[in-house]
Amino acid sequence: MSDRDGLYAELRLSLARELAKLIPRGSKWKHYKGDVFTVLAVSMDLGVELSTDAMDAILVTVEDEDGEAFSRTAAEFLGRELSGGHAVSRFERVP
């Protein structure tokens, strides 16, 4: 691994740690379509090339109310969707 790749990997890890603070394990998030999910983990996908956008290499794993788990990239999780002609957050944190 080159010095540049090593630095990039460190930056990704630092970003993943910061996102884990923003999206803590156990927190509840409401999808723009109405379902509520619990965050199980924020992690790095080690199989993603270093040249890929860091937000696409960080995964947010959530569980729905039926116990079904799935992962989205951080970019998707924190992204926006069109709903009723307006841009809305894909997920919003709920108390």
Side-chain angles (χ1 to χ4, degrees):
M1 181 182 295
S2 72
D3 289 343
R4 180 176 167 259
D5 287 346
L7 177 60
Y8 195 59
E10 286 179 36
L11 288 172
R12 274 190 180 181
L13 183 56
S14 178
L15 178 58
R17 287 181 180 137
E18 290 304 312
L19 284 172
K21 293 176 190 174
L22 176 70
I23 309 169
R25 183 181 303 161
S27 60
K28 304 278 186 191
W29 293 75
K30 184 176 180 179
H31 190 266
Y32 76 100
K33 292 182 180 176
D35 294 330
V36 175
F37 297 87
T38 302
V39 173
L40 299 178
V42 175
S43 58
M44 284 184 52
D45 183 348
L46 299 176
V48 174
E49 294 290 325
L50 284 176
S51 61
T52 303
D53 185 340
M55 292 291 280
D56 289 332
I58 299 169
L59 300 176
V60 179
T61 303
V62 297
E63 180 179 58
D64 67 16
E65 293 170 334
D66 295 326
E68 295 291 324
F70 65 91
S71 297
R72 293 285 181 263
T73 67
E76 291 173 323
F77 189 83
L78 296 173
R80 299 182 65 77
E81 291 288 326
L82 282 178
S83 179
H86 302 337
V88 297
S89 296
R90 181 172 291 192
F91 288 92
E92 288 187 3
R93 191 166 179 183
V94 295

